[in-house]
């Protein structure tokens, strides 16, 4: 079990480093020797500070995705995830291939979860409250 977790950590680290090196143009210098050997004890318990009770969460705070165009490697993963499983809130510019977040963003963090570049997508507070657009508009004179 420990070897499987260690292998997953090393593979995740390798993917992140390769993506960053491809973005900076230094991918050809990447070899297996540059992978930092992590120990299982290095990660055990590190997430505990972020675990809390449901009642401690704010149900009024609303966030929206903010994509750093300088860090973006134009992989399109955020766009594909948002369009397939999210709220279709990310548009992909056909000329620049840069993703842009629209007002439809609900702050679900799917794009943040799939982005291979650390800190390329951040969740920031919304300037205007999100109002869902669901169903049919209310009738002015309902017929009952």
């Amino acid at each position: 079990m420990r070897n499987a977790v260690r292998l997953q950590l090393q593979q995740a680290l390798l993917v992140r480093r390769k993506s960053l090196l491809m973005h900076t143009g230094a991918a050809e210098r990447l070899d297996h020797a540059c992978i930092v050997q992590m120990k299982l004890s290095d990660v055990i318990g590190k997430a505990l500070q972020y675990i809390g009770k449901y009642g401690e969460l704010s149900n009024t705070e609303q966030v929206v995705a903010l994509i750093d165009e300088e860090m973006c490697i134009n992989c399109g993963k955020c766009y594909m995830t948002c369009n397939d499983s999210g709220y279709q809130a990310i548009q992909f510019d056909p000329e620049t291939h840069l993703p842009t977040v629209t007002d439809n963003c609900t702050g679900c963090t799917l794009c943040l979860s799939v982005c291979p570049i650390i800190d390329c997508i951040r969740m920031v507070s919304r300037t205007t409250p999100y109002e869902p657009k669901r169903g049919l508009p209310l009738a002015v004179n309902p017929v009952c």
Side-chain angles (χ1 to χ4, degrees), residues 91-102:
Q91 301 295 319
F92 211 62
D93 189 307
E95 291 183 17
T96 63
H97 299 285
L98 287 173
T100 54
V101 181
T102 66

Side-chain angles (χ1 to χ4, degrees), residues 40-87:
L40 192 56
S41 60
D42 293 339
V43 293
I44 291 178
K46 296 295 181 191
L48 291 178
Q49 62 183 335
Y50 302 108
I51 297 174
K53 297 178 182 176
Y54 177 77
E56 295 171 356
L57 295 174
S58 170
N59 61 359
T60 58
E61 180 184 14
Q62 293 184 346
V63 293
V64 65
L66 178 66
I67 302 173
D68 186 342
E69 293 180 359
E70 296 295 319
M71 292 181 74
C72 180
I73 60 170
N74 307 38
C75 66
K77 288 183 178 183
C78 59
Y79 169 76
M80 288 185 290
T81 302
C82 187
N83 280 306
D84 289 346
S85 304
Y87 293 86

Side-chain angles (χ1 to χ4, degrees), residues 6 31 35 52 54 57 61 72 76 98 100 104 115 118 138:
R6 184 176 291 129
D31 60 356
I35 299 173
Y54 177 77
L57 295 174
E61 180 184 14
C72 180
L98 287 173
T100 54
N104 293 337
C115 182
I118 297 171
L138 295 175

Side-chain angles (χ1 to χ4, degrees), residues 62-69 78-79 82 87 89-91 99-115 119-128 130:
Q62 293 184 346
V63 293
V64 65
L66 178 66
I67 302 173
D68 186 342
E69 293 180 359
C78 59
Y79 169 76
C82 187
Y87 293 86
I90 296 180
Q91 301 295 319
T100 54
V101 181
T102 66
D103 289 337
N104 293 337
C105 180
T106 63
C108 70
T109 71
L110 283 173
C111 56
L112 175 68
S113 301
V114 299
C115 182
D119 295 333
C120 180
I121 299 177
R122 294 182 298 125
M123 302 310 287
V124 297
S125 294
R126 272 187 95 85
T127 55
T128 58
Y130 174 73

